[in-house]
Amino acid sequence: MLIPIKPAEDGVRDWCAIELQGTLDNRSDDSFADLALGSFKVKGSTASLVIGSHRLEGKKVSLSKPLAVTAKEGDAYLVVGLIKCKYVFQSRPTSQKMEVIL
């Protein structure tokens, strides 16, 4: 059985993934889907991610084989994006100092 795969009508976008080591725990009953996890900033090929009082430093890495992001439409799949790179955060988080200005 052939499964048709075609580009989306509005084109295929370039995407980038975020890879974290470890787990993220949610202490409430809410889903992660509607939560803002933190602040993500990119400067050149490095990135920083601040979640609560924890700061992670990462770097941009190109994937050797791109990954296709698809959406099902009837019996076919539409390619809506290609993941060609990822930001890797391998180090342990450092504590973010909170500055209070009076």
Side-chain angles (χ1 to χ4, degrees):
M1 174 179 176
L2 288 175
I3 300 173
I5 299 174
K6 56 186 178 181
E9 290 179 12
D10 58 344
V12 178
R13 297 188 177 128
D14 286 341
W15 288 20
C16 200
I18 297 175
E19 180 180 310
L20 300 171
Q21 303 296 319
T23 59
L24 291 174
D25 293 326
N26 185 357
R27 294 182 182 163
S28 71
D29 294 332
D30 298 332
S31 163
F32 274 124
D34 296 326
L35 294 178
L37 294 177
S39 172
F40 179 73
K41 295 181 182 176
V42 176
K43 186 175 182 181
S45 63
T46 61
S48 65
L49 177 63
V50 178
I51 301 174
S53 63
H54 301 286
R55 180 182 180 90
L56 295 151
E57 296 292 330
K59 63 181 179 178
K60 186 176 182 179
V61 177
S62 296
L63 298 178
S64 59
K65 293 182 181 179
L67 299 171
V69 180
T70 61
K72 189 169 184 176
E73 184 180 90
D75 292 337
Y77 285 90
L78 300 178
V79 178
V80 294
L82 286 177
I83 300 175
K84 296 181 179 180
C85 63
K86 66 181 176 179
Y87 287 95
V88 180
F89 296 89
Q90 292 180 329
S91 61
R92 290 183 155 284
T94 58
S95 184
Q96 178 79 12
K97 291 183 181 178
M98 298 296 188
E99 295 182 23
V100 178
I101 300 173
L102 301 174

